[in-house]
Each structure stands twice: as structure tokens, then as C-alpha cells.
Amino acid sequence: VMELVAEDFRARQYYVTGRLSQEVYADAGFFDSPDPDMPVRSPEIFGQSLRGLFDARRSAVELLEPTTFVDASTIVAEWRLEGALRLPWRPRIKAFVGRTTFTLGDSGLVERHVEEWSIPAWDAFLSAAFPGFGAPPAPDAAALRAGRAAGAAAGAGAPLAERWPSLVAPR
């Protein structure tokens, strides 16, 4: 399951294409995120909502670290997303960092897929209309990784700003 989840990020870019390995998800899996269209209870509906959101040619998601097991039934992936929305004028949303927690059920399939973002959903979506609005965009993935040493002691459950200190704008 963890290998397919990682492959969904790397090869299928599932957050921007909607192409996720549905065979690793329970049919009535729970998907939640800060996005106002969530939650949903189906990998098919989740994938369809993603397919309609981003212009995949102008968008990208990148794993910041390898996906990891937190315990026997919990996988965590931390990622950076940036992209253009699938609207006629292709507005860009600012880059942000997210964490997805995948919880496996007794069947070994993902029953819960829950996201958290480094910025509020309203900030991400308003940045499409007002690019300078709100929090600054997340640094590129290389800069995030370079700054990771400062947050190395923060565990997978720590807030994203503690795990990725370069998300916090210098004062």
C-alpha cells in the first residue's frame, strides 16, 4: 500500500491528475481536507473532484520525504503543491505544503485519507485572484529540504511549520 501511495505522488501526480490507485482504498473510504468540497466517502468521487480542479500540465505535487509508517496502520506523506486551476484563464494558486495521513483498516486498505495544509483553504484559493494576498508561497522543495534540519526533531504529528521551518517567513 505504501509503495502505491508513493507511486501515486511521484508518477501519477494524483493531487493534480486525480489518478490514484483505487485498489488500495476501501470502497467507502473517508477523504477529508481543508478544501470546502470535502469530506467525501469514495475514492472515485475524490479522484473526480481532483481531475476537475487543476490543469495538470501547469501543476505539480512533490513528496518532500519518503512516505513513512507512523505505526502499523498509519502512513504519512508530506508534500508541496503548486499549480493552476482548471478555469478558462488558468489562475495559479500559491505553493503550499501539506501532510496526508492514510489510515489502514483491518482489511489492509486505506479507510481514511486526511489532509492538512500549511495555509488555510481560503488563502490558497484567494491567491488565484489576488496573487500577493495572505501568507507567502511555500519555498521550492529543495529549499524546504535544506531547511528541514532545523525541524528534524519534530515528529510526524508536529505542526507543518515546525517540521518545515522555512515555511515561516523571516521577520
Side-chain angles (χ1 to χ4, degrees), residues 69-75 102-105:
F69 270 103
V70 174
D71 58 39
S73 64
T74 308
I75 299 169
F102 303 85
T103 306
L104 307 178

Side-chain angles (χ1 to χ4, degrees), residues 58-59 82-85 90-94 124 127-129 131:
R58 297 180 179 167
S59 304
E82 66 178 319
L85 297 176
R90 299 297 191 251
R92 297 197 63 78
I93 62 165
K94 71 176 75 173
S127 72

Side-chain angles (χ1 to χ4, degrees), residues 7 14-15 17-18 21 37 40 42 45 49 51-52 56 64 68 76 88 91 106 114 119 131 133 136 143-144 169-170:
E7 192 66 15
Y14 85 101
Y15 270 111
T17 66
S21 299
D37 290 334
V40 298
S42 161
I45 293 171
S49 67
R51 279 191 291 280
L64 295 173
T68 57
V76 172
D106 293 338
V114 178
I119 59 176
F133 178 82
L144 285 163

